[in-house]
Amino acid sequence: MNDEYFMGLALEQAQKSFDKGEFPVGCVIVQNGKVIASGARKGTTQERPFFSEIDHAEIRALKHLETVNIEIDPEKLVLFSTMEPCLMCFGAIILAGIKKIVYAYEDPMGGGTKCELQQLPMLYKHCKINIVSKVLRQKSLDLFYDFFNKENNLYWKGSYLEIYTLEQKNKN
């Protein structure tokens, strides 16, 4: 199975979030060709008085790892996310020992994977992490475009991410 297959599963998680009115980010974590954890974005619907910035898909998938009943080898884990992980998620992924991240759509406003690890403290400086971008990018872009075009959406309304997404979609 390839990166597109697993990104397709992450996109299914993102679609679930979208269908609930949430920011459409999905994540799956794979070990030895099998999905062992997944997560979908939560905390961005209008039913809440405050948007949660902790319940990211990647964090929820990492938390899901705590409940699996198999031996986990962090060096064999691959994390697939429909959006480039933010700094918080990127740091958590590194600390979890995951060595490969695959994402679909770049986050020009808050993506963390372009961070210069050599400029950070020792804990991060020496990590070796492989990052693969733009896997099924168009499908993820389509979901974000649809999200930002919802009339009742207020999450990141008017942000650089919204403007960038609308521009990217109009280029196609």
Side-chain angles (χ1 to χ4, degrees), residues 3-13 80 135-136 139:
D3 289 351
E4 278 128 15
Y5 172 79
F6 292 112
M7 186 60 72
L9 298 177
L11 281 161
E12 288 176 13
Q13 293 293 316
F80 292 84
V135 174
L136 298 183
K139 290 183 185 225

Side-chain angles (χ1 to χ4, degrees), residues 6-7 9-10 13 26-30 35 37-39 61 78-81:
F6 292 112
M7 186 60 72
L9 298 177
Q13 293 293 316
C27 177
V28 297
I29 300 176
V30 175
V35 174
S38 63
V78 180
L79 183 140
F80 292 84
S81 182

Side-chain angles (χ1 to χ4, degrees), residues 131-167:
I131 299 167
V132 178
S133 63
K134 298 183 180 180
V135 174
L136 298 183
R137 179 184 184 272
Q138 187 62 49
K139 290 183 185 225
S140 188
L141 170 60
D142 291 345
L143 263 178
F144 286 106
Y145 180 83
D146 291 345
F147 177 80
F148 284 123
N149 275 303
K150 282 184 172 183
E151 284 185 34
N152 61 344
N153 169 53
L154 297 178
Y155 188 69
W156 289 122
K157 199 67 170 169
S159 69
Y160 179 68
L161 179 59
E162 178 187 41
I163 294 165
Y164 179 83
T165 298
L166 298 177
E167 287 174 355

Side-chain angles (χ1 to χ4, degrees), residues 69-141:
N69 292 322
I70 62 167
E71 188 173 326
I72 295 173
D73 181 352
E75 299 223 355
K76 292 182 179 176
L77 297 178
V78 180
L79 183 140
F80 292 84
S81 182
T82 59
M83 177 172 253
E84 177 184 2
C86 70
L87 284 172
M88 173 184 71
C89 294
F90 188 50
I93 293 163
I94 289 170
L95 291 174
I98 295 172
K99 300 299 181 195
K100 183 176 180 182
I101 297 170
V102 180
Y103 69 85
Y105 184 54
E106 66 277 8
D107 181 353
M109 187 170 82
T113 66
K114 293 169 195 73
C115 213
E116 284 292 329
L117 296 176
Q118 295 302 313
Q119 302 299 316
L120 298 177
M122 189 180 307
L123 181 62
Y124 304 96
K125 182 185 290 195
H126 298 296
C127 83
K128 304 256 189 281
I129 192 158
N130 180 20
I131 299 167
V132 178
S133 63
K134 298 183 180 180
V135 174
L136 298 183
R137 179 184 184 272
Q138 187 62 49
K139 290 183 185 225
S140 188
L141 170 60

